[in-house]
Amino acid sequence: MTIPILYEDDDILAVSKPEALAAIPERHGPGGSLFEVLCAQRGERLYIVHRIDKETSGLIVFARSAEAHRRLNRKFETREVEKTYLALAHGVITEDAISVDAPLRQFGSGRVAVDPVRGKPSATEFRVLERFGSHTLVEARPRTGRRHQIRVHLYHLGHPIAGDPLYGGEATRRGFARMMLHAWRLELTLPSGRLLAIEAPIPESFEAALDTLRRASG
């Protein structure tokens, strides 16, 4: 398995994760993850800074030293990192932009849901990029970093992500071989002090699904 390297220096390694590969080792599963593959292939110790869902493709950053790990963790914790995702939502979103401020709570089953009483503050901004006959391509910018945040906020709006195996019914998944969520861009200040903007190319599997919708809508 070849993992595309998007950027590297003495402090960080940024790569593009394919869908269906866990970002970090799973507690229950057959084993194998992006983290393990990279450590083995490169013969070095990497440090986990953040993660994206197994079903999500796209950009993820690892630290290459304990000091870089400490600094990067701090930036993610204090929301100094700008993250942008692409998501294909089921149904047509009529608004051009939506801000969702809905507290989220994780349950023992692994699912996450909106809970105004016991949930943790969670905010996501959505902007419509393209509308199809029965779907909408949106840009999502999470302002907090809760588990499944983008997925649950779109589900809460009544527009679950196409192909999502956990949120949404059979109609949401029909016709999609993958979950249509991609970690697209990331902007952060490196431990060296330099501002870095990275973009993960949109995978062929994602583009193919969009092309199919464009042909059907045209």
Side-chain angles (χ1 to χ4, degrees), residues 88-94 130-137 158-160 162:
L88 182 70
H90 187 73
V92 178
I93 299 175
T94 57
E130 190 173 357
R131 294 183 179 92
F132 307 96
S134 57
H135 295 82
T136 307
L137 180 66
H159 296 284

Side-chain angles (χ1 to χ4, degrees), residues 117-167:
V117 177
R118 300 176 60 188
K120 295 180 179 180
S122 307
T124 311
E125 296 177 2
F126 297 100
R127 182 171 69 90
V128 169
L129 299 178
E130 190 173 357
R131 294 183 179 92
F132 307 96
S134 57
H135 295 82
T136 307
L137 180 66
V138 299
E139 177 185 276
R141 293 174 178 260
R143 297 309 181 192
T144 50
R146 309 301 178 199
R147 176 178 171 86
H148 296 178
Q149 178 173 311
I150 296 171
R151 299 164 67 178
V152 178
H153 276 171
L154 281 171
Y155 179 72
H156 177 65
L157 289 173
H159 296 284
I161 294 176
D164 193 328
L166 194 57
Y167 303 99

Side-chain angles (χ1 to χ4, degrees), residues 46-130:
L46 297 172
Y47 298 78
I48 297 168
V49 176
H50 68 125
R51 66 200 70 184
I52 58 178
D53 295 337
K54 182 176 183 177
E55 301 87 354
T56 304
S57 59
L59 209 160
I60 187 166
V61 169
F62 295 94
R64 300 184 68 189
S65 70
E67 178 60 22
H69 181 240
R70 184 186 66 80
R71 293 188 181 186
L72 288 169
N73 272 347
R74 179 62 179 165
K75 292 184 182 297
F76 275 86
E77 288 171 0
T78 55
R79 303 173 192 170
E80 297 177 56
V81 179
E82 180 78 18
K83 295 178 284 185
T84 306
Y85 290 73
L86 293 179
L88 182 70
H90 187 73
V92 178
I93 299 175
T94 57
E95 301 93 332
D96 290 335
I98 303 175
S99 294
V100 179
D101 189 354
L104 299 180
R105 181 162 74 94
Q106 183 174 335
F107 294 84
S109 63
R111 285 179 63 92
V112 177
V114 171
D115 186 336
V117 177
R118 300 176 60 188
K120 295 180 179 180
S122 307
T124 311
E125 296 177 2
F126 297 100
R127 182 171 69 90
V128 169
L129 299 178
E130 190 173 357

